[in-house]
């Protein structure tokens, strides 16, 4: 669970595009879907309803959804958004034309540290 990042519920909302992941039915992993309804407040299963591209609606746990990457969104920006962090918090925003950052740690090490921090 993310202590510094936002929970997936804060990133996903009704109408948002998401990608299914970690499902026992592996054929659905990686499929894009649209969130139709969020879990009810009293629902201990934490399931929302999503609509697949085929039109089929299924119940999915929020833990099995991640936000879809926007067409014009960089991989770094997308990764930061999924983590609930900003590029500045990851130390990836302040780079000069040569690609050097203000931090002494390489970007991959900072991203790995951020991932460990939110797990």
């Amino acid at each position: 669970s993310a202590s510094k990042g936002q929970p997936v519920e804060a990133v996903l909302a009704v109408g948002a595009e998401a990608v299914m992941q970690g499902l026992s039915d592996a054929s659905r992993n990686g499929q894009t879907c649209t969130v139709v309804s969020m879990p009810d407040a009293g629902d201990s299963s934490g399931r929302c309803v999503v609509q697949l591209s085929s039109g089929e609606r299924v119940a999915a746990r929020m833990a099995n959804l991640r936000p879809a990457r926007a067409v014009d969104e960089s991989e770094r920006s997308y990764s930061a958004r999924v983590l609930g962090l900003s590029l500045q918090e990851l130390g990836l925003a302040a780079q000069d034309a040569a690609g050097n950052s203000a931090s002494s740690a390489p970007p991959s090490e900072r991203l790995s540290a951020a991932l460990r921090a939110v797990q």
Side-chain angles (χ1 to χ4, degrees):
S1 153
S3 58
K4 186 167 181 144
Q6 298 174 354
V8 72
E9 294 87 353
V11 179
L12 291 175
V14 172
E17 294 231 347
V19 178
M20 300 182 83
Q21 64 183 9
L23 300 168
S24 55
D25 179 359
S27 68
R28 290 198 171 160
N29 288 331
Q31 283 191 23
T32 303
C33 60
T34 302
V35 178
V36 175
S37 68
M38 299 299 286
D40 292 328
D43 183 2
S44 62
S45 72
R47 293 182 187 272
C48 64
V49 176
V50 297
Q51 184 169 326
L52 306 176
S53 57
S54 65
E56 179 184 4
R57 289 186 176 201
V58 296
R61 289 187 342 213
M62 293 300 291
N64 294 113
L65 300 174
R66 65 177 160 82
R69 182 175 167 190
V71 176
D72 61 347
E73 188 173 27
S74 73
E75 183 65 30
R76 285 182 175 179
S77 293
Y78 172 70
S79 297
R81 182 169 58 88
V82 169
L83 290 169
L85 301 170
S86 68
L87 290 174
Q88 290 79 12
E89 289 172 306
L90 292 172
L92 299 174
Q95 294 188 343
D96 62 23
N100 299 317
S101 71
S103 172
S104 60
S108 60
E109 288 180 22
R110 290 192 302 273
L111 187 54
S112 294
L115 287 168
R116 284 191 303 273
V118 298
Q119 290 178 344

